[in-house]
Amino acid sequence: MSFTNDQLERYSRHIILKEVGVKGQKKLLKSKVLIIGTGGLGAPAAMFLAAAGVGTIGLVDSDNVELSNLQRQIIHLTKDVGKPKVVSGQETINEMNPDVNVVTYQEWVSSANIIGIIKDQDYDFIIDGTDNFPAKFLINDACVLTEKPFSHAGIIRFHGQTMTYVPGQGPCYRCIFKNPPPPDAVPTCKQAGVLGVMGGIIGTIQATEAIKYVLGIGELLTGQLLTYDALDMDFRKIKLPLVKDCPVCGESAKIKELIDYEGAVCELKQN
Amino acid sequence: MSAIKANSYVDITDVLCPITFVKAKVAIEELEDGQILEIKMNGGEPLNNVPRSLKDEGHKVVQVEDHGNGTYTVFVKKGDL
Amino acid sequence: MKIIVNGNEVVLDKEVVVKELLDKQKVSMQQYVTVQVYDDIISRDDFEKIALKEGDSVEFLYFMGGGAQ
Ligand SMILES: [Zn+2]
């Protein structure tokens, strides 16, 4: 594969970087990243991965674009209201970068379909951009069981957090958080509100992790939880322990099959 | 001028920064360590920057020829990074 | 005694267990907070049993949803 002149120009700022170069840009163009949820986190992540020339981007979301999404889900435009989010996301990416092949899955992830979606294109890296705990635990367990690296993240109000799981290189989400909280026990951003830029900051960090993983450069957020407080403008990296008795990634893991946890009442329409 | 035998040739006189360096970098990445790339470039900004950027990446500028018409030929030996 | 909670120094007039520290720091919904002391994740069943020592580094880790909606 050799670059066209347009590609040389489009990716010139990458190619100039010693850490990326021609080889790295080719790796990006051959890479496949799955983004689950095309909302506050997934939208900016998808846009930066598309701009970077990630060759295949999978988008998973069952929702349609609503006016209230547009305050933060920047991949969708006012004219897209009412459209399936995956279609709107695909159109934006196609207009941005013709090098990217977008694969859409207009559905919610569940124990029944998530492995099939991950294996559909044998994705290299998965981004959790979902807003609910059943999905977050499902994505974690599916990635552990299929040995896929993924980026977890959550945002609420003025706070965000993210960590990266790489098989065999650090704790998974369940190591730290064990089980989902009961439905409605912990507010999601629909109930609590969220500053629009939070997804931009944390989702872009998730995209950065995906790019670094594909390129094999730098230090990932494995074994570390990065927390961000926008009001104090404070980033902290918390070192996380490896949990030997984790029920899904531990030495004698009990979870061998995926679990569909019950969602909060206000999220029921998703399930 | 001495006869340096280049393994590959690229002309970057028809492009502007940063594509000048990008084209040179793409060409040199296709070579094996120790092989030589012959680059035709304009004087001024390209001549000031492209050889320096290639040096920063671990390659060695072995010879510069001035054609007397504002263009130059720079021979660069690929280093191992 | 002094301990470090989420990176900030907290001064306590006496030794406390995890549960008392959560109360003192006004952490709500304590059953959904993950507490890490150095390299150990403390089981929620042990919040009333585990005492914190001078200089301990404690992290409260919170569930954070949000994203897609
Ligand atoms: Zn685990």
Side-chain angles (χ1 to χ4, degrees), chain A residues 172 174-175 246 248-249:
Chain A
C172 75
R174 197 183 275 280
C175 282
C246 171
V248 68
C249 80

Side-chain angles (χ1 to χ4, degrees), chain A residues 8-26:
Chain A
L8 284 183
E9 193 163 347
R10 178 184 288 272
Y11 305 117
S12 59
R13 302 306 192 274
H14 270 171
I15 293 170
I16 287 167
L17 290 171
K18 202 182 291 184
E19 293 79 357
V20 183
V22 176
K23 289 194 188 96
Q25 189 60 47
K26 285 182 182 172

Side-chain angles (χ1 to χ4, degrees), chain A residues 43-64:
Chain A
M47 292 174 84
F48 271 109
L49 291 175
V54 167
T56 301
I57 295 179
L59 300 177
V60 190
D61 206 309
S62 179
D63 252 345
N64 294 325

Side-chain angles (χ1 to χ4, degrees), chain B residues 17 20-21 41 44-56:
Chain B
C17 175
T20 42
F21 174 54
M41 66 182 71
E45 191 274 331
L47 187 66
N48 289 335
N49 291 315
V50 173
R52 189 181 58 203
S53 299
L54 289 166
K55 273 190 236 167
D56 287 347

